Amino acid sequence: MACRISELVLECRSPELLAQFWCEVLGFVVLDREGEELIEIGPAEGFGGPQPTIILSGHEQPRTGKGRLHIDVNPTDRDQDDELERLLALGARPADVGQTGTEQWHVLADPEGNEFCLLRTRLS
């Protein structure tokens, strides 16, 4: 038997703000909380399904430099342009990590500046 990714942990200054943002982006719900410093979000079915959960862990120090790991998202019910508009309305903003402008994805940042990519729609 092999391992699977069960959780992604993101250190952040405001777990509540990022929980709201990522729940809206991914259609997730809050699954668990430990005070104001640790919030776990994931699919409504809960932990253990095919998708990993995300743990937002309070951390006072601001992030410096580009992260070594980022999240890629794919639209599931609309095209990439419509999803880009939705994500920007939720508080995402364009991010420049050195892309050329010819990529088939958009590099964005969440409200705390964590980069993620919006890929084009895939049917499977």
Side-chain angles (χ1 to χ4, degrees):
M1 175 175 232
C3 291
R4 72 174 185 86
I5 296 173
S6 58
E7 300 137 353
L8 301 172
V9 179
L10 180 60
E11 292 181 343
C12 56
R13 290 185 307 277
S14 177
E16 191 66 43
L17 174 67
L18 288 192
Q20 291 173 358
F21 176 80
W22 284 108
C23 280
E24 286 292 325
V25 169
L26 300 171
F28 278 11
V29 298
V30 172
L31 298 172
D32 194 16
R33 355 177 129 249
E34 291 182 22
E36 296 178 9
E37 294 304 310
L38 192 82
I39 301 174
E40 183 176 15
I41 64 172
E45 301 80 40
F47 178 82
Q51 296 185 61
T53 62
I54 299 175
I55 296 177
L56 302 155
S57 176
H59 192 271
E60 290 301 316
Q61 299 299 320
R63 195 193 85 202
T64 57
K66 182 179 179 296
R68 293 185 69 181
L69 178 70
H70 68 269
I71 295 172
D72 287 345
V73 297
N74 292 88
T76 59
D77 63 352
R78 65 196 72 181
D79 69 23
Q80 185 185 44
D81 291 336
D82 289 340
E83 184 65 357
L84 177 61
E85 285 183 35
R86 186 180 83 88
L87 296 177
L88 293 172
L90 290 173
R93 60 186 186 278
D96 182 0
V97 295
Q99 60 269 42
T100 65
T102 61
E103 294 82 5
Q104 294 182 4
W105 60 86
H106 296 278
V107 181
L108 302 170
D110 72 16
E112 284 200 7
N114 301 296
E115 293 96 0
F116 67 100
C117 293
L118 171 60
L119 306 179
R120 56 190 164 92
T121 306
R122 287 192 207 178
L123 297 176
S124 58

